[in-house]
Amino acid sequence: MNKTAIITGVTGQDGSYLSDLLIDKGYTVIGTYRRSVSDFSNKTQNVSHLLDNRNFILEEADVTDSASLYRLVHEYQPDEYYNLAAQSHVGTSFKTPVSTTEINLMGCLYALEAIRLQKPACKFYQASTSEMFGDNTRCPQGIDTTFSPVSPYACAKLAAHHMVGTYRKSYGIFASSGILFNHESPRRGENFVTRKITKAAARINLGLQKELRLGNLSAQRDWGHAADFVRGMWMMLQHEKADDFVLATGRTNSVQKFLEYVFAFAGLEIKDHVIIDPKFYRPCEVPKLWGNPDKAIIELGWSPECDFEELAFEMYEEDLRREKEKLNKTDNPDV
Ligand code: NAP
Ligand code: F7E
């Protein structure tokens, strides 16, 4: 029998890749989005290719509205529930700490309660994060590394992470947390550093922009491809028992290095275009993330396929293609 999965935050980067994967596997996907004043096609652009698919159902819900989650679990009786919805920008979490905590912690708790009370056999995936390691730079960070969060985002995610473990132990719910290191793609939000760089490089290359303002270039991240990481999420829920896993590539690179790669593809000089702007520094920085995915490799058989260089190139090429397409549309408004 075909399975049904709820994915919260389906319009985000991971939600869209996970929908592609599950639909390919024959699932019916119930994807949630929240209303906003921005137009619908803009909001749903990551899943625009799925909107006519009869196995993809978009439902309006807000994860801070417990009733909307209860309704969905009651109505669809899902086999799997992927809690991807979040205020996911670390810098923003310093400016909106309360709403970030409501979304990132309470959104998880309401989902767990909806499952406990209405469909306890539903398997639950929580989007935990390497940000929970915070300023603990003992590397590589793995499943036994001590958490030391340094942002409202990471504090809320860590509380949610513990909540998942609590529901697993207390009620026997199949609830797993994936502690995921940074993963990117052409569908990445434009205010995350990788996408900000690839989009700016494409636009500078086409003469549409002159400068790129960035913050701390020395921060190091373990960057993988989102398509690889959503496969790991699904594998966690197919595992024989619920557990926590780290997904990472096992390589780390600085923001500076990512910038150098992309500007080299674009044939641009960093010194001619990049300006360091204190506005993009955070009150507290996570200096170095470098993950150890051994447990996921051994127990799940997961491994990442796309490497850092391929990722940077794919993102740059796709931004260049999109910017050219926009230019063509402006030149030929009838096309
Ligand atoms: P993303 O692109 O920012 O997507 C987040 C989604 O959550 C968006 O669709 C957003 O919709 C939705 N959302 C936000 N607040 C909501 C609310 N109150 N109710 C319902 N939906 C809401 O994030 P992502 O990169 O796909 O990441 C997916 C998850 O993994 C997140 O939980 C993130 O914290 C976590 N994570 C990401 C990474 C990474 O490197 N990408 C690493 C570790 C963990 P709107 O457009 O309406 O805001
Ligand atoms: O920053 C530095 C910034 O915002 C990466 C989220 O998916 O991964 C992501 O969080 C680094 C930081 O991602 C700019 O200070 C420099 O050191 O792309 P980011 P993030 O903070 O690592 C984790 C695992 C998550 O869970 C999160 O949801 O880049 N940086 N200059 C900058 N960052 C941004 N955004 N913009 C800049 O101009």
Side-chain angles (χ1 to χ4, degrees), residues 1 5 11 60 92 134 151 162 186 191 216 252 261 280 298 301 315:
M1 212 168 65
T11 56
E60 206 171 317
T92 298
S151 67
H162 287 310
N191 58 0
N216 177 19
T252 192
Y261 259 97
F280 296 106
I298 294 162
M315 291 177 71

Coordinates of all heavy atoms in Angstrom, one line a residue, residues 1 5 11 60 92 134 151 162 186 191 216 252 261 280 298 301 315:
M1 N 0.8 -1.2 0.0 CA 0.0 0.0 0.0 C 0.9 1.3 0.0 O 1.9 1.3 0.7 CB -0.9 0.0 1.2 CG -2.2 0.7 1.0 SD -3.4 0.3 2.4 CE -2.6 1.2 3.7
A5 N 3.0 10.7 3.7 CA 3.9 11.5 4.5 C 3.5 13.0 4.6 O 3.1 13.6 3.6 CB 5.3 11.4 4.0
T11 N 7.8 24.2 1.2 CA 8.2 25.2 0.2 C 9.7 25.5 0.4 O 10.3 26.3 -0.5 CB 7.4 26.5 0.3 OG1 7.5 27.0 1.6 CG2 5.9 26.2 -0.1
E60 N -2.6 24.3 3.9 CA -2.2 25.5 4.6 C -2.1 25.1 6.1 O -3.0 24.5 6.7 CB -3.2 26.6 4.4 CG -2.7 28.0 4.6 CD -3.7 29.0 4.2 OE1 -4.4 28.9 3.2 OE2 -3.8 30.0 4.9
T92 N 19.1 35.8 11.7 CA 17.7 36.3 12.0 C 17.3 35.9 13.4 O 16.5 36.7 14.1 CB 16.7 35.8 11.0 OG1 17.2 36.3 9.7 CG2 15.3 36.3 11.2
G134 N 27.6 24.4 18.2 CA 27.9 25.8 18.5 C 29.4 26.1 18.6 O 30.1 25.9 17.6
S151 N 23.3 30.5 19.7 CA 22.3 31.4 19.1 C 20.9 30.9 19.6 O 20.7 29.8 19.9 CB 22.3 31.3 17.6 OG 21.9 30.0 17.2
H162 N 15.9 17.4 22.3 CA 15.7 16.7 23.6 C 14.3 16.2 23.7 O 14.0 15.2 24.3 CB 16.2 17.5 24.8 CG 17.7 17.6 24.9 ND1 18.5 16.5 24.9 CD2 18.5 18.7 25.1 CE1 19.8 16.9 25.0 NE2 19.8 18.2 25.1
P186 N 20.8 24.7 -5.6 CA 20.2 25.9 -6.3 C 18.9 26.3 -5.6 O 18.4 27.4 -5.9 CB 20.0 25.4 -7.7 CG 21.0 24.3 -7.8 CD 21.0 23.6 -6.5
N191 N 19.4 34.3 1.3 CA 20.1 35.0 2.3 C 21.1 34.1 3.1 O 21.6 34.5 4.1 CB 19.2 35.9 3.2 CG 18.2 35.0 3.9 OD1 18.1 33.8 3.7 ND2 17.3 35.6 4.7
N216 N 31.6 37.5 8.1 CA 32.8 36.8 8.5 C 33.2 35.7 7.5 O 32.5 34.7 7.3 CB 32.5 36.1 9.9 CG 33.6 35.2 10.4 OD1 34.7 35.3 9.9 ND2 33.3 34.4 11.3
T252 N 35.6 20.0 5.7 CA 35.3 21.4 6.0 C 36.0 22.4 5.1 O 37.1 22.2 4.7 CB 35.5 21.7 7.5 OG1 34.9 22.9 7.9 CG2 37.0 21.8 7.9
Y261 N 36.3 29.8 -4.9 CA 35.9 28.8 -6.0 C 34.9 29.5 -6.9 O 35.0 29.4 -8.1 CB 35.2 27.6 -5.3 CG 36.1 26.4 -5.2 CD1 36.7 26.2 -4.0 CD2 36.3 25.6 -6.3 CE1 37.6 25.1 -3.9 CE2 37.1 24.5 -6.1 CZ 37.8 24.3 -5.0 OH 38.6 23.2 -4.9
F280 N 26.8 42.1 8.6 CA 26.6 40.7 8.4 C 27.3 39.8 9.5 O 27.3 38.5 9.3 CB 26.9 40.2 7.0 CG 26.0 40.9 6.0 CD1 26.4 41.9 5.2 CD2 24.6 40.5 5.9 CE1 25.6 42.6 4.3 CE2 23.8 41.2 5.0 CZ 24.2 42.2 4.2
I298 N 27.6 3.6 8.6 CA 27.7 2.2 9.0 C 26.2 1.6 9.2 O 25.9 0.5 8.7 CB 28.5 2.0 10.3 CG1 30.0 2.4 10.0 CG2 28.4 0.6 10.9 CD1 30.8 2.7 11.2
G301 N 23.8 2.9 5.9 CA 24.3 2.7 4.5 C 24.3 4.0 3.7 O 24.3 4.0 2.5
M315 N 25.5 25.3 -8.2 CA 24.8 26.5 -7.7 C 25.1 27.7 -8.6 O 24.2 28.5 -9.0 CB 25.1 26.8 -6.2 CG 24.5 25.7 -5.3 SD 25.0 26.0 -3.6 CE 24.0 27.4 -3.2

